[in-house]
Amino acid sequence: MLVSSVVLCLLIALVKAKNASVTYDQTTGKFQIHDYIANDPVAYGTFTDEIFKVGWSYLEIKSYEKYPDPIQAYAAGVVEGYLTADLLRKHFSNLVDGYCDGEEIYCQRLTSFLQENWDFIDSNVKVRRKYDVYWHQIALTFEQLHGLEDGYKNVTSQPSTKVDLMGLLLLNIMGDLEDLEVVLKKNDMRRVLGSGHCSGLIKVLPNNKDILFSQVTWSTYTSMLRILKKYSLKLHTSLADGSPVIPGHTSTFSSQPGVLYSGDDFYVLSSGLVAIETTFGNGNDSLWKYVVPQTILEWQRNIIANRLAKTGKQWVTLFGILNSGTYNNQWMVVDYNKFKPGSPLQDGLLYVLEQLPGYLHSEDRTDVLRNQGYWPSYNVAYFKDIFVMSGAQANADKYGDWFTYERNPRALIFQRDHKKVQDIDSMIKLMRYNDYTNDPLSRCNCTPPYSAENAISARCDLNPVNGTYPFAALGHRQHGATDMKLTSYELQKNYEFVAISGPTYDPLPPFQWSKSDFDKKVKHEGHPDLWQFKPIVHKWL
């Protein structure tokens, strides 16, 4: 049961939901889009846009098991593309339009890389899909993306793994792109030295009465057109008749228009698993040689692990197959099947995986939860081998404790404040915490002597333009914590989680485009002006 400060935003009467469905004629082999829920659909969806009310839109997609998997995946994509077309257009404009302007040579290299990657996948799918569950699911991700492209255009065709390599795929590889830009030598790269990508916390409440699982996304403010999604896709472990439905057939997650996974990442799964990550990246140039097209990019490995894994150990194993070495993160997977309130924590409850090009390290780290009561994550590698290999040790030697696992500002804030977490409200308060002008742990060798980056929820827009900072991440940028998500033992049973949209604002001034110096500099089509939204828990239909 949620405490009173969490607002349950059930505004269906005020904001009319949009419905759509896709039917399939088995005689003609043709699909048809309907702007209502038709009889006997392959898939249907409901979309409600409440971004100007609560900072989120909501999307639910369901497909039916009696239809073959490629038809289900394609139809699910069509429904999503059709329902979210307006928001998708705005989001694509904000993030992707102009991406290749002045970078034509780099984009030629990127297109060639993606084509080689697709050719590698297509050749394996043709040979192995019929008997290999992994390649079957890889094919389905592309068939769903192909449907998304068609639905966005309000057309239908046939299920296909062929997609526009420089179209909506770019939205889905945004995480991978940060590293591909380095490998393929983009002139103007988005990566900033030391830049954070998310804070995460797994907190065991006193007497093991609950495990709270939370993440805040750190990203550019241009990315704040957001959708909370629920997929119920009754896909199977193979093309064979009678094969079992996948364990992760239903998932809820924070996401964006045009994206088939979270990207943040935050997932609640029908398998009983929940998963998050924070990004630490790779600063070791000698490892980039392991980033090659004959691989599976992170966005697809993410989806496959979520769909097929029954346990945390299976999740990290599946995720490691054909490691692309792009979007290098620390992943945390909690298995709520191994948790009983008030009982000792079982081995296998928490698995942690860290990835670099050519290398992965994963372990059961339930012992850490037992011994210290929490697991924090803040864009620094935990495993020593990964820490050294990633180049973090070199940065620590040059810049000091900020780049270390033990003495990073967020490490120290979590260490100091995690004991204050007694319930959902206090967990929200910690995950949205930023008191950078007063907290001694937010101080730095800067002018002024602190940075709004040094908090659990960053607000880099508040750092002064004329400040001086030892490295760019601590300075003035349109970058910060753009949300908060949190689930619990009870909430995850119904695929629910608490969500807050937008940069943190208590006790700070809320972010407002019209009052920021970024208003005329970066695209934010479709955004609210003032970002001052309350926590919500969306009740899925």
Side-chain angles (χ1 to χ4, degrees):
M1 184 173 179
L2 275 173
V3 286
S4 59
S5 70
V6 177
V7 180
L8 302 181
C9 293
L10 302 176
L11 301 173
I12 302 300
L14 299 177
V15 181
K16 185 175 177 58
K18 292 169 56 180
N19 297 316
S21 58
V22 169
T23 54
Y24 177 69
D25 188 324
Q26 298 188 40
T27 302
T28 63
K30 292 184 178 180
F31 296 85
Q32 185 173 355
I33 303 172
H34 310 270
D35 58 3
Y36 55 90
I37 300 176
N39 292 327
D40 194 24
V42 179
Y44 73 86
T46 299
F47 177 67
T48 308
D49 186 350
E50 296 184 354
I51 288 176
F52 282 82
K53 291 181 176 292
V54 299
W56 299 101
S57 54
Y58 309 110
L59 175 71
E60 294 194 45
I61 301 289
K62 181 174 182 177
S63 66
Y64 285 91
E65 183 180 354
K66 72 176 185 177
Y67 290 96
D69 286 358
I71 290 175
Q72 281 190 63
Y74 173 75
V78 170
V79 170
E80 178 170 353
Y82 179 78
L83 284 173
T84 63
D86 181 61
L87 208 62
L88 202 165
R89 178 191 61 77
K90 294 171 183 174
H91 191 63
F92 192 90
S93 174
N94 292 338
L95 294 189
V96 178
D97 277 356
Y99 180 74
C100 289
D101 292 352
E103 297 280 1
E104 287 78 10
I105 301 301
Y106 154 74
C107 279
Q108 289 175 14
R109 292 193 287 264
L110 175 62
T111 303
S112 296
F113 183 99
L114 295 176
Q115 184 64 58
E116 285 187 58
N117 178 246
W118 187 89
D119 290 341
F120 167 76
I121 291 172
D122 186 56
S123 62
N124 277 280
V125 164
K126 286 177 178 176
V127 174
R128 304 169 70 175
R129 178 180 194 173
K130 290 183 179 180
Y131 63 86
D132 189 321
V133 60
Y134 187 88
W135 290 101
H136 175 50
Q137 292 298 325
I138 289 292
L140 292 173
T141 63
F142 274 137
E143 286 163 343
Q144 189 177 351
L145 182 58
H146 178 68
L148 189 69
E149 293 175 340
D150 280 357
Y152 175 57
K153 300 171 187 175
N154 194 14
V155 299
T156 61
S157 56
Q158 291 296 310
S160 171
T161 59
K162 188 68 176 175
V163 297
D164 181 355
L165 298 178
M166 297 299 283
L168 298 187
L169 180 62
L170 288 181
L171 288 175
N172 285 271
I173 65 170
M174 276 294 168
D176 296 287
L177 270 181
E178 285 200 9
D179 292 323
L180 290 176
E181 287 177 357
V182 179
V183 173
L184 302 175
K185 297 179 172 54
K186 189 173 187 283
N187 293 318
D188 182 18
M189 290 183 288
R190 293 175 296 155
R191 175 174 293 180
V192 173
L193 177 63
S195 182
H197 284 266
C198 309
S199 295
L201 181 64
I202 303 164
K203 175 60 181 174
V204 182
L205 294 189
N207 301 314
N208 292 348
K209 68 179 181 182
D210 205 346
I211 295 180
L212 303 183
F213 188 86
S214 182
Q215 185 222 45
V216 292
T217 302
W218 288 25
S219 187
T220 58
Y221 294 165
T222 56
S223 67
M224 293 193 294
L225 282 184
R226 304 297 303 284
I227 306 179
L228 301 183
K229 297 183 181 180
K230 181 180 181 182
Y231 287 170
S232 298
L233 307 180
K234 295 302 177 67
L235 305 171
H236 299 80
T237 55
S238 78
L239 283 169
D241 291 341
S243 63
V245 173
I246 55 175
H249 53 80
T250 300
S251 60
T252 57
F253 51 101
S254 53
S255 188
Q256 304 173 22
V259 178
L260 298 182
Y261 70 123
S262 172
D264 294 353
D265 292 272
F266 179 93
Y267 302 95
V268 179
L269 306 168
S270 54
S271 57
L273 304 180
V274 293
I276 59 172
E277 52 87 354
T278 76
T279 304
F280 54 79
N282 172 48
N284 182 351
D285 288 345
S286 69
L287 298 181
W288 292 126
K289 63 179 176 287
Y290 298 111
V291 177
V292 296
Q294 292 72 34
T295 191
I296 304 296
L297 292 175
E298 192 274 351
W299 74 278
Q300 288 178 303
R301 300 199 329 275
N302 179 336
I303 292 173
I304 302 313
N306 285 340
R307 287 182 178 178
L308 297 182
K310 295 180 180 179
T311 66
K313 185 174 183 179
Q314 288 181 0
W315 197 101
V316 299
T317 300
L318 286 160
F319 184 82
I321 296 172
L322 289 168
N323 169 26
S324 62
T326 54
Y327 204 14
N328 295 289
N329 302 320
Q330 177 189 94
W331 279 93
M332 295 139 279
V333 183
V334 163
D335 185 351
Y336 274 109
N337 298 306
K338 295 183 177 293
F339 177 70
K340 182 178 179 181
S343 298
L345 304 185
Q346 299 180 40
D347 288 347
L349 187 146
L350 170 63
Y351 263 85
V352 177
L353 174 144
E354 294 179 345
Q355 169 196 304
L356 284 172
Y359 190 72
L360 296 107
H361 187 155
S362 63
E363 291 184 16
D364 179 352
R365 293 278 68 181
T366 309
D367 60 315
V368 176
L369 289 180
R370 289 195 195 100
N371 295 333
Q372 68 181 29
Y374 75 109
W375 176 279
S377 189
Y378 35 83
N379 310 124
V380 182
Y382 166 81
F383 297 118
K384 192 64 177 179
D385 53 350
I386 296 285
F387 179 83
V388 173
M389 289 175 63
S390 69
Q393 185 62 61
N395 285 331
D397 293 342
K398 182 175 182 179
Y399 295 105
D401 286 348
W402 197 94
F403 281 92
T404 67
Y405 183 80
E406 296 80 10
R407 302 290 300 172
N408 177 279
R410 281 182 282 168
L412 297 176
I413 293 171
F414 275 133
Q415 184 181 65
R416 181 191 67 194
D417 292 347
H418 81 92
K419 293 179 181 178
K420 299 177 183 178
V421 176
Q422 301 293 316
D423 52 25
I424 288 177
D425 274 357
S426 50
M427 183 78 158
I428 292 172
K429 186 174 182 180
L430 176 55
M431 298 308 291
R432 294 284 279 179
Y433 176 74
N434 191 326
D435 191 17
Y436 73 104
T437 61
N438 297 308
D439 191 335
L441 297 180
S442 296
R443 297 184 75 82
C444 55
N445 184 21
C446 310
T447 304
Y450 41 71
S451 172
E453 170 90 358
N454 292 339
I456 306 304
S457 283
R459 280 291 304 273
C460 292
D461 59 292
L462 297 178
N463 293 325
V465 178
N466 59 356
T468 57
Y469 306 92
F471 45 89
L474 299 180
H476 179 74
R477 301 182 290 148
Q478 56 106 8
H479 182 275
T482 56
D483 69 19
M484 192 283 317
K485 295 88 55 185
L486 182 157
T487 197
S488 68
Y489 177 69
E490 291 298 329
L491 284 172
Q492 60 86 30
K493 291 179 180 178
N494 295 313
Y495 305 106
E496 293 174 356
F497 52 90
V498 184
I500 307 174
S501 182
T504 191
Y505 56 83
D506 184 12
L508 307 175
F511 177 74
Q512 190 166 0
W513 281 109
S514 61
K515 292 184 178 180
S516 80
D517 59 320
F518 306 113
D519 189 35
K520 306 300 182 184
K521 296 178 182 178
V522 295
K523 285 185 176 182
H524 49 280
E525 185 180 354
H527 284 218
D529 180 43
L530 178 65
W531 291 79
Q532 194 173 7
F533 299 112
K534 300 295 184 182
I536 62 96
V537 176
H538 184 63
K539 300 292 184 179
W540 304 104
L541 299 177

